[in-house]
Amino acid sequence: MRGAWIIAGFALRESLRKRVFVVVALLTVAFLGLYALGTWQISQESGQWAPDDGIEGDVIAGATLLGLSMFATLFLGAILAVFLTLSAVRGDAERGLLQPMIVRPLSRGTFLLGRYIAAASVCAAYVIAVFLAAVVITNAFIGWWPDRLLVPALELGAAVAVIAALALAGSVVLSSTANGIAVFMIFGAGLTAGLLGQIAEPEALNSETLENVSRTASWILPFEALYLSALSAVTADTVGFTRFAINLGPFGGAESFGVLLGPFVLAYVATIGAAALWAFKRRDL
Amino acid sequence: MPDALVAQDLRKHYGPTWALKGVDLRIGEGELVGLLGPNGAGKSTFVKIVCGLVRPSGGSFAVSGSFGYLAELFRFPDWLSADEVLVLHQKLAGSSGGARERADLLELVGLTEFSERRVAAMSKGMQQRLGIAQAMIGDPRLLLLDEPTSALDPAGRRTVRELLETLRSRGVAVLLNSHLLSEIELVCDRVAIIARGELVAAGTPDELSRSGGVEVDTGRGTRQFPRATREDIPAIVRELVEAGDDVYEIRLVRSTLEDTYLEVVGGR
């Protein structure tokens, strides 16, 4: 385990020196700045949200904006996860960076674990921080708090940890560029599954088949299930016509995946890790 | 004390191509062994198997104690300084040598004044020397050096040669994989030549530099005795003098390691 922490520390320092964090920080500042601006603009129209016919304007506006920000947060987290891991194994081996380290009394499993600890912890901390910042901005301008705070934050963090696991596993078998493309395509596939679920809702196509496809795809790509579950938790207690209005926005596909989602994600990441280790052990460097 | 390295019938294939076809090699305590062979002969594959970077297809090997390795093609993170590279490898190797060990190693490879220099700002030769220092972290019992002088100028090569002599005196076994026959001949106790994945010759440089007979300059010209050895010289001289020849000079003709190498690898 000591070796895993050494590798994790090295990976974090590498990220700092390579200015990955600087790029992501700039993107984050730009995103949060624009999000604050957009939220402020919406809040200026708050006069039109006077409670009428059971519609809570601040809830609809706040939840819709926060839901959109969660999508952006997950996307930024995915970028960070991919760039922290895309060349961790094959890319570094091709450049001759990996060999001097891997011949040390350091198992390949320890190396992978160290890289994963670094990427997953940084990405999870990042999306949780950005999510909380978005929540504070939303409340500052619109005066609305999400129904749940901790659960969606943790689920977003877990979602990027899953993406980091996929990107790290991909780095064992794919070159850096191919891995980056593959992970973003997988990420896109997950989002598409969510969109399918959204248009399958009773308010739209009301298609059970599409809903099943979406749900199955979300289990196969559990970062999407975690994202949808986080969305669901944000407005968990919202009901009535406000609920209906919210579902027309980014919350259309939001749904809870139940208590099995957590254990399933753990098993999923462990399986991805085991597959990556199996492939890594068979790779000649 | 057991041998530093024992490899038996080591084999490796990449698809249908055999890189190693069953190589046996032993390296004793403090022994400096040179591994020679043409490109693609299987030298680097052999070294990588011993390091655990490549999985063998068959055979076995055993390394006694810790080892250090310098790859033929390697890079260190260019954002680290020379000292930071060594700190990282000290941690990975579990070395407790601390700053003293790092200073000693940098001095040994002539990089003391560049300890704070970033790898990105180092020449290829300096990086190669840093690579050698890195391989020596933790006081390994066996050092596996894959083309350690490929990027070095003549002064750098001499430094490495002196370094190898120092290591031998400390009892460190070294497997030196190199294309440079002269270098191997100068420093190695034994030489192993690999060609087409097979060990085709092995022995001390003297054993591989075989006798090529005796040449004698006489009053009637140069006489050659191609099968003669050093022990035959007194009899040859006696015969020539008794036959009335004047003997001016006698030379023991030896084939060089290069001649032997070219012969066994099929270069001529």
Side-chain angles (χ1 to χ4, degrees), chain A residues 97-127:
Chain A
L97 282 162
L98 186 63
Q99 289 84 345
M101 286 198 274
I102 216 74
V103 298
R104 292 292 174 193
L106 180 78
S107 74
R108 296 187 183 202
T110 304
F111 178 83
L112 278 184
L113 181 63
R115 295 296 303 220
Y116 183 66
I117 288 171
S121 57
V122 165
C123 295
Y126 168 79
V127 293

PDB file of all heavy atoms in Angstrom, chain A residues 97-127:
ATOM      1  N   LEU A  97       8.654   6.323 -19.858  1.00  0.00           N
ATOM      2  CA  LEU A  97       8.538   6.880 -18.508  1.00  0.00           C
ATOM      3  C   LEU A  97       8.174   5.820 -17.475  1.00  0.00           C
ATOM      4  O   LEU A  97       8.502   5.943 -16.299  1.00  0.00           O
ATOM      5  CB  LEU A  97       7.451   7.971 -18.491  1.00  0.00           C
ATOM      6  CG  LEU A  97       7.835   9.331 -19.056  1.00  0.00           C
ATOM      7  CD1 LEU A  97       6.589  10.141 -19.388  1.00  0.00           C
ATOM      8  CD2 LEU A  97       8.698  10.103 -18.070  1.00  0.00           C
ATOM      9  N   LEU A  98       7.483   4.796 -17.934  1.00  0.00           N
ATOM     10  CA  LEU A  98       6.931   3.811 -17.003  1.00  0.00           C
ATOM     11  C   LEU A  98       7.983   2.793 -16.533  1.00  0.00           C
ATOM     12  O   LEU A  98       8.005   2.404 -15.355  1.00  0.00           O
ATOM     13  CB  LEU A  98       5.768   3.085 -17.688  1.00  0.00           C
ATOM     14  CG  LEU A  98       4.954   2.116 -16.857  1.00  0.00           C
ATOM     15  CD1 LEU A  98       4.268   2.848 -15.716  1.00  0.00           C
ATOM     16  CD2 LEU A  98       3.912   1.428 -17.723  1.00  0.00           C
ATOM     17  N   GLN A  99       8.841   2.371 -17.461  1.00  0.00           N
ATOM     18  CA  GLN A  99       9.745   1.261 -17.168  1.00  0.00           C
ATOM     19  C   GLN A  99      10.635   1.473 -15.940  1.00  0.00           C
ATOM     20  O   GLN A  99      10.762   0.558 -15.110  1.00  0.00           O
ATOM     21  CB  GLN A  99      10.608   0.933 -18.408  1.00  0.00           C
ATOM     22  CG  GLN A  99       9.853   0.289 -19.538  1.00  0.00           C
ATOM     23  CD  GLN A  99       9.134   1.279 -20.440  1.00  0.00           C
ATOM     24  OE1 GLN A  99       8.964   2.421 -20.089  1.00  0.00           O
ATOM     25  NE2 GLN A  99       8.703   0.843 -21.612  1.00  0.00           N
ATOM     26  N   PRO A 100      11.274   2.663 -15.801  1.00  0.00           N
ATOM     27  CA  PRO A 100      12.138   2.808 -14.618  1.00  0.00           C
ATOM     28  C   PRO A 100      11.377   2.640 -13.303  1.00  0.00           C
ATOM     29  O   PRO A 100      11.945   2.206 -12.310  1.00  0.00           O
ATOM     30  CB  PRO A 100      12.682   4.245 -14.756  1.00  0.00           C
ATOM     31  CG  PRO A 100      12.584   4.553 -16.205  1.00  0.00           C
ATOM     32  CD  PRO A 100      11.346   3.844 -16.675  1.00  0.00           C
ATOM     33  N   MET A 101      10.094   2.987 -13.307  1.00  0.00           N
ATOM     34  CA  MET A 101       9.320   2.874 -12.054  1.00  0.00           C
ATOM     35  C   MET A 101       8.832   1.456 -11.822  1.00  0.00           C
ATOM     36  O   MET A 101       8.839   0.960 -10.707  1.00  0.00           O
ATOM     37  CB  MET A 101       8.123   3.826 -12.105  1.00  0.00           C
ATOM     38  CG  MET A 101       8.505   5.259 -11.929  1.00  0.00           C
ATOM     39  SD  MET A 101       7.106   6.281 -11.477  1.00  0.00           S
ATOM     40  CE  MET A 101       6.465   6.668 -13.070  1.00  0.00           C
ATOM     41  N   ILE A 102       8.403   0.813 -12.895  1.00  0.00           N
ATOM     42  CA  ILE A 102       7.724  -0.471 -12.732  1.00  0.00           C
ATOM     43  C   ILE A 102       8.705  -1.589 -12.380  1.00  0.00           C
ATOM     44  O   ILE A 102       8.302  -2.636 -11.881  1.00  0.00           O
ATOM     45  CB  ILE A 102       6.915  -0.808 -14.009  1.00  0.00           C
ATOM     46  CG1 ILE A 102       5.622  -1.522 -13.640  1.00  0.00           C
ATOM     47  CG2 ILE A 102       7.691  -1.638 -14.997  1.00  0.00           C
ATOM     48  CD1 ILE A 102       4.584  -0.652 -13.053  1.00  0.00           C
ATOM     49  N   VAL A 103      10.006  -1.390 -12.614  1.00  0.00           N
ATOM     50  CA  VAL A 103      10.972  -2.437 -12.238  1.00  0.00           C
ATOM     51  C   VAL A 103      11.353  -2.364 -10.764  1.00  0.00           C
ATOM     52  O   VAL A 103      12.028  -3.248 -10.248  1.00  0.00           O
ATOM     53  CB  VAL A 103      12.270  -2.387 -13.083  1.00  0.00           C
ATOM     54  CG1 VAL A 103      11.981  -2.608 -14.534  1.00  0.00           C
ATOM     55  CG2 VAL A 103      13.006  -1.076 -12.868  1.00  0.00           C
ATOM     56  N   ARG A 104      10.941  -1.286 -10.119  1.00  0.00           N
ATOM     57  CA  ARG A 104      11.184  -1.194  -8.678  1.00  0.00           C
ATOM     58  C   ARG A 104      10.331  -2.246  -7.976  1.00  0.00           C
ATOM     59  O   ARG A 104       9.398  -2.775  -8.567  1.00  0.00           O
ATOM     60  CB  ARG A 104      10.824   0.212  -8.184  1.00  0.00           C
ATOM     61  CG  ARG A 104      11.761   1.292  -8.718  1.00  0.00           C
ATOM     62  CD  ARG A 104      13.118   1.132  -8.138  1.00  0.00           C
ATOM     63  NE  ARG A 104      14.110   2.035  -8.708  1.00  0.00           N
ATOM     64  CZ  ARG A 104      15.414   1.879  -8.521  1.00  0.00           C
ATOM     65  NH1 ARG A 104      15.868   0.865  -7.826  1.00  0.00           N
ATOM     66  NH2 ARG A 104      16.268   2.719  -9.044  1.00  0.00           N
ATOM     67  N   PRO A 105      10.612  -2.512  -6.701  1.00  0.00           N
ATOM     68  CA  PRO A 105       9.767  -3.505  -6.021  1.00  0.00           C
ATOM     69  C   PRO A 105       8.338  -2.970  -5.864  1.00  0.00           C
ATOM     70  O   PRO A 105       7.898  -2.597  -4.795  1.00  0.00           O
ATOM     71  CB  PRO A 105      10.452  -3.714  -4.679  1.00  0.00           C
ATOM     72  CG  PRO A 105      11.513  -2.721  -4.578  1.00  0.00           C
ATOM     73  CD  PRO A 105      11.685  -2.028  -5.865  1.00  0.00           C
ATOM     74  N   LEU A 106       7.663  -2.896  -6.984  1.00  0.00           N
ATOM     75  CA  LEU A 106       6.348  -2.264  -7.048  1.00  0.00           C
ATOM     76  C   LEU A 106       5.512  -3.118  -7.987  1.00  0.00           C
ATOM     77  O   LEU A 106       5.845  -3.242  -9.160  1.00  0.00           O
ATOM     78  CB  LEU A 106       6.538  -0.861  -7.638  1.00  0.00           C
ATOM     79  CG  LEU A 106       5.325   0.026  -7.823  1.00  0.00           C
ATOM     80  CD1 LEU A 106       4.932   0.632  -6.489  1.00  0.00           C
ATOM     81  CD2 LEU A 106       5.640   1.145  -8.804  1.00  0.00           C
ATOM     82  N   SER A 107       4.460  -3.724  -7.459  1.00  0.00           N
ATOM     83  CA  SER A 107       3.670  -4.574  -8.346  1.00  0.00           C
ATOM     84  C   SER A 107       2.862  -3.700  -9.295  1.00  0.00           C
ATOM     85  O   SER A 107       2.615  -2.522  -9.027  1.00  0.00           O
ATOM     86  CB  SER A 107       2.728  -5.448  -7.526  1.00  0.00           C
ATOM     87  OG  SER A 107       1.662  -4.664  -7.019  1.00  0.00           O
ATOM     88  N   ARG A 108       2.448  -4.298 -10.402  1.00  0.00           N
ATOM     89  CA  ARG A 108       1.661  -3.536 -11.373  1.00  0.00           C
ATOM     90  C   ARG A 108       0.315  -3.142 -10.778  1.00  0.00           C
ATOM     91  O   ARG A 108      -0.229  -2.086 -11.092  1.00  0.00           O
ATOM     92  CB  ARG A 108       1.496  -4.351 -12.656  1.00  0.00           C
ATOM     93  CG  ARG A 108       2.843  -4.589 -13.332  1.00  0.00           C
ATOM     94  CD  ARG A 108       2.723  -5.234 -14.698  1.00  0.00           C
ATOM     95  NE  ARG A 108       4.058  -5.478 -15.235  1.00  0.00           N
ATOM     96  CZ  ARG A 108       4.339  -5.632 -16.508  1.00  0.00           C
ATOM     97  NH1 ARG A 108       3.372  -5.605 -17.413  1.00  0.00           N
ATOM     98  NH2 ARG A 108       5.565  -5.833 -16.914  1.00  0.00           N
ATOM     99  N   GLY A 109      -0.193  -4.001  -9.914  1.00  0.00           N
ATOM    100  CA  GLY A 109      -1.449  -3.686  -9.240  1.00  0.00           C
ATOM    101  C   GLY A 109      -1.300  -2.452  -8.354  1.00  0.00           C
ATOM    102  O   GLY A 109      -2.176  -1.585  -8.309  1.00  0.00           O
ATOM    103  N   THR A 110      -0.171  -2.371  -7.654  1.00  0.00           N
ATOM    104  CA  THR A 110       0.088  -1.219  -6.794  1.00  0.00           C
ATOM    105  C   THR A 110       0.170   0.054  -7.623  1.00  0.00           C
ATOM    106  O   THR A 110      -0.347   1.104  -7.244  1.00  0.00           O
ATOM    107  CB  THR A 110       1.405  -1.424  -6.022  1.00  0.00           C
ATOM    108  OG1 THR A 110       1.310  -2.640  -5.299  1.00  0.00           O
ATOM    109  CG2 THR A 110       1.679  -0.284  -5.069  1.00  0.00           C
ATOM    110  N   PHE A 111       0.830  -0.066  -8.782  1.00  0.00           N
ATOM    111  CA  PHE A 111       0.953   1.097  -9.657  1.00  0.00           C
ATOM    112  C   PHE A 111      -0.430   1.579 -10.097  1.00  0.00           C
ATOM    113  O   PHE A 111      -0.737   2.777 -10.022  1.00  0.00           O
ATOM    114  CB  PHE A 111       1.811   0.738 -10.874  1.00  0.00           C
ATOM    115  CG  PHE A 111       1.955   1.873 -11.848  1.00  0.00           C
ATOM    116  CD1 PHE A 111       2.911   2.863 -11.648  1.00  0.00           C
ATOM    117  CD2 PHE A 111       1.128   1.966 -12.957  1.00  0.00           C
ATOM    118  CE1 PHE A 111       3.031   3.922 -12.532  1.00  0.00           C
ATOM    119  CE2 PHE A 111       1.243   3.020 -13.845  1.00  0.00           C
ATOM    120  CZ  PHE A 111       2.202   4.000 -13.630  1.00  0.00           C
ATOM    121  N   LEU A 112      -1.260   0.642 -10.565  1.00  0.00           N
ATOM    122  CA  LEU A 112      -2.605   1.017 -11.017  1.00  0.00           C
ATOM    123  C   LEU A 112      -3.411   1.615  -9.870  1.00  0.00           C
ATOM    124  O   LEU A 112      -4.116   2.618 -10.052  1.00  0.00           O
ATOM    125  CB  LEU A 112      -3.343  -0.210 -11.575  1.00  0.00           C
ATOM    126  CG  LEU A 112      -3.048  -0.623 -13.012  1.00  0.00           C
ATOM    127  CD1 LEU A 112      -3.953  -1.788 -13.400  1.00  0.00           C
ATOM    128  CD2 LEU A 112      -3.244   0.523 -13.991  1.00  0.00           C
ATOM    129  N   LEU A 113      -3.303   1.007  -8.708  1.00  0.00           N
ATOM    130  CA  LEU A 113      -4.055   1.495  -7.555  1.00  0.00           C
ATOM    131  C   LEU A 113      -3.630   2.918  -7.210  1.00  0.00           C
ATOM    132  O   LEU A 113      -4.473   3.789  -6.943  1.00  0.00           O
ATOM    133  CB  LEU A 113      -3.837   0.555  -6.353  1.00  0.00           C
ATOM    134  CG  LEU A 113      -4.580   0.927  -5.072  1.00  0.00           C
ATOM    135  CD1 LEU A 113      -6.086   0.868  -5.290  1.00  0.00           C
ATOM    136  CD2 LEU A 113      -4.189   0.007  -3.921  1.00  0.00           C
ATOM    137  N   GLY A 114      -2.332   3.173  -7.238  1.00  0.00           N
ATOM    138  CA  GLY A 114      -1.827   4.509  -6.932  1.00  0.00           C
ATOM    139  C   GLY A 114      -2.345   5.545  -7.907  1.00  0.00           C
ATOM    140  O   GLY A 114      -2.797   6.625  -7.515  1.00  0.00           O
ATOM    141  N   ARG A 115      -2.288   5.195  -9.184  1.00  0.00           N
ATOM    142  CA  ARG A 115      -2.795   6.123 -10.203  1.00  0.00           C
ATOM    143  C   ARG A 115      -4.289   6.358 -10.013  1.00  0.00           C
ATOM    144  O   ARG A 115      -4.785   7.464 -10.211  1.00  0.00           O
ATOM    145  CB  ARG A 115      -2.537   5.583 -11.616  1.00  0.00           C
ATOM    146  CG  ARG A 115      -1.079   5.458 -12.026  1.00  0.00           C
ATOM    147  CD  ARG A 115      -0.323   6.756 -12.100  1.00  0.00           C
ATOM    148  NE  ARG A 115      -0.883   7.737 -12.994  1.00  0.00           N
ATOM    149  CZ  ARG A 115      -0.169   8.521 -13.798  1.00  0.00           C
ATOM    150  NH1 ARG A 115       1.142   8.401 -13.840  1.00  0.00           N
ATOM    151  NH2 ARG A 115      -0.739   9.432 -14.540  1.00  0.00           N
ATOM    152  N   TYR A 116      -5.001   5.302  -9.643  1.00  0.00           N
ATOM    153  CA  TYR A 116      -6.455   5.443  -9.488  1.00  0.00           C
ATOM    154  C   TYR A 116      -6.800   6.285  -8.256  1.00  0.00           C
ATOM    155  O   TYR A 116      -7.681   7.138  -8.314  1.00  0.00           O
ATOM    156  CB  TYR A 116      -7.129   4.072  -9.411  1.00  0.00           C
ATOM    157  CG  TYR A 116      -8.638   4.216  -9.327  1.00  0.00           C
ATOM    158  CD1 TYR A 116      -9.348   4.737 -10.413  1.00  0.00           C
ATOM    159  CD2 TYR A 116      -9.330   3.914  -8.173  1.00  0.00           C
ATOM    160  CE1 TYR A 116     -10.716   4.921 -10.340  1.00  0.00           C
ATOM    161  CE2 TYR A 116     -10.701   4.100  -8.098  1.00  0.00           C
ATOM    162  CZ  TYR A 116     -11.386   4.601  -9.184  1.00  0.00           C
ATOM    163  OH  TYR A 116     -12.743   4.804  -9.117  1.00  0.00           O
ATOM    164  N   ILE A 117      -6.087   6.044  -7.173  1.00  0.00           N
ATOM    165  CA  ILE A 117      -6.338   6.834  -5.963  1.00  0.00           C
ATOM    166  C   ILE A 117      -6.171   8.321  -6.274  1.00  0.00           C
ATOM    167  O   ILE A 117      -7.010   9.154  -5.905  1.00  0.00           O
ATOM    168  CB  ILE A 117      -5.373   6.410  -4.824  1.00  0.00           C
ATOM    169  CG1 ILE A 117      -5.762   5.038  -4.277  1.00  0.00           C
ATOM    170  CG2 ILE A 117      -5.375   7.441  -3.706  1.00  0.00           C
ATOM    171  CD1 ILE A 117      -4.737   4.456  -3.308  1.00  0.00           C
ATOM    172  N   ALA A 118      -5.090   8.644  -6.989  1.00  0.00           N
ATOM    173  CA  ALA A 118      -4.827  10.050  -7.310  1.00  0.00           C
ATOM    174  C   ALA A 118      -5.943  10.619  -8.176  1.00  0.00           C
ATOM    175  O   ALA A 118      -6.513  11.672  -7.862  1.00  0.00           O
ATOM    176  CB  ALA A 118      -3.476  10.177  -8.012  1.00  0.00           C
ATOM    177  N   ALA A 119      -6.251   9.927  -9.267  1.00  0.00           N
ATOM    178  CA  ALA A 119      -7.235  10.467 -10.213  1.00  0.00           C
ATOM    179  C   ALA A 119      -8.629  10.536  -9.593  1.00  0.00           C
ATOM    180  O   ALA A 119      -9.312  11.566  -9.684  1.00  0.00           O
ATOM    181  CB  ALA A 119      -7.251   9.601 -11.476  1.00  0.00           C
ATOM    182  N   ALA A 120      -9.047   9.459  -8.955  1.00  0.00           N
ATOM    183  CA  ALA A 120     -10.414   9.412  -8.426  1.00  0.00           C
ATOM    184  C   ALA A 120     -10.608  10.421  -7.291  1.00  0.00           C
ATOM    185  O   ALA A 120     -11.629  11.116  -7.242  1.00  0.00           O
ATOM    186  CB  ALA A 120     -10.731   8.002  -7.932  1.00  0.00           C
ATOM    187  N   SER A 121      -9.612  10.521  -6.399  1.00  0.00           N
ATOM    188  CA  SER A 121      -9.795  11.435  -5.265  1.00  0.00           C
ATOM    189  C   SER A 121      -9.815  12.889  -5.738  1.00  0.00           C
ATOM    190  O   SER A 121     -10.640  13.686  -5.283  1.00  0.00           O
ATOM    191  CB  SER A 121      -8.706  11.214  -4.210  1.00  0.00           C
ATOM    192  OG  SER A 121      -7.440  11.379  -4.785  1.00  0.00           O
ATOM    193  N   VAL A 122      -8.935  13.211  -6.658  1.00  0.00           N
ATOM    194  CA  VAL A 122      -8.895  14.595  -7.156  1.00  0.00           C
ATOM    195  C   VAL A 122     -10.192  14.934  -7.901  1.00  0.00           C
ATOM    196  O   VAL A 122     -10.806  15.993  -7.677  1.00  0.00           O
ATOM    197  CB  VAL A 122      -7.674  14.792  -8.079  1.00  0.00           C
ATOM    198  CG1 VAL A 122      -7.803  16.075  -8.880  1.00  0.00           C
ATOM    199  CG2 VAL A 122      -6.415  14.822  -7.261  1.00  0.00           C
ATOM    200  N   CYS A 123     -10.608  14.026  -8.774  1.00  0.00           N
ATOM    201  CA  CYS A 123     -11.809  14.298  -9.581  1.00  0.00           C
ATOM    202  C   CYS A 123     -13.057  14.375  -8.698  1.00  0.00           C
ATOM    203  O   CYS A 123     -13.908  15.250  -8.894  1.00  0.00           O
ATOM    204  CB  CYS A 123     -11.992  13.221 -10.644  1.00  0.00           C
ATOM    205  SG  CYS A 123     -10.679  13.234 -11.851  1.00  0.00           S
ATOM    206  N   ALA A 124     -13.153  13.473  -7.754  1.00  0.00           N
ATOM    207  CA  ALA A 124     -14.325  13.468  -6.873  1.00  0.00           C
ATOM    208  C   ALA A 124     -14.355  14.750  -6.036  1.00  0.00           C
ATOM    209  O   ALA A 124     -15.401  15.409  -5.935  1.00  0.00           O
ATOM    210  CB  ALA A 124     -14.299  12.238  -5.971  1.00  0.00           C
ATOM    211  N   ALA A 125     -13.201  15.118  -5.475  1.00  0.00           N
ATOM    212  CA  ALA A 125     -13.150  16.350  -4.672  1.00  0.00           C
ATOM    213  C   ALA A 125     -13.502  17.556  -5.543  1.00  0.00           C
ATOM    214  O   ALA A 125     -14.216  18.468  -5.104  1.00  0.00           O
ATOM    215  CB  ALA A 125     -11.751  16.516  -4.068  1.00  0.00           C
ATOM    216  N   TYR A 126     -13.015  17.520  -6.772  1.00  0.00           N
ATOM    217  CA  TYR A 126     -13.277  18.639  -7.681  1.00  0.00           C
ATOM    218  C   TYR A 126     -14.771  18.799  -7.969  1.00  0.00           C
ATOM    219  O   TYR A 126     -15.329  19.890  -7.819  1.00  0.00           O
ATOM    220  CB  TYR A 126     -12.491  18.420  -8.978  1.00  0.00           C
ATOM    221  CG  TYR A 126     -12.907  19.359 -10.086  1.00  0.00           C
ATOM    222  CD1 TYR A 126     -12.449  20.675 -10.104  1.00  0.00           C
ATOM    223  CD2 TYR A 126     -13.773  18.950 -11.087  1.00  0.00           C
ATOM    224  CE1 TYR A 126     -12.845  21.547 -11.100  1.00  0.00           C
ATOM    225  CE2 TYR A 126     -14.171  19.811 -12.086  1.00  0.00           C
ATOM    226  CZ  TYR A 126     -13.706  21.113 -12.083  1.00  0.00           C
ATOM    227  OH  TYR A 126     -14.112  21.971 -13.063  1.00  0.00           O
ATOM    228  N   VAL A 127     -15.449  17.721  -8.382  1.00  0.00           N
ATOM    229  CA  VAL A 127     -16.867  17.874  -8.753  1.00  0.00           C
ATOM    230  C   VAL A 127     -17.726  18.200  -7.522  1.00  0.00           C
ATOM    231  O   VAL A 127     -18.699  18.953  -7.631  1.00  0.00           O
ATOM    232  CB  VAL A 127     -17.440  16.636  -9.490  1.00  0.00           C
ATOM    233  CG1 VAL A 127     -16.808  16.461 -10.843  1.00  0.00           C
ATOM    234  CG2 VAL A 127     -17.346  15.401  -8.671  1.00  0.00           C
TER     235      VAL A 127
END
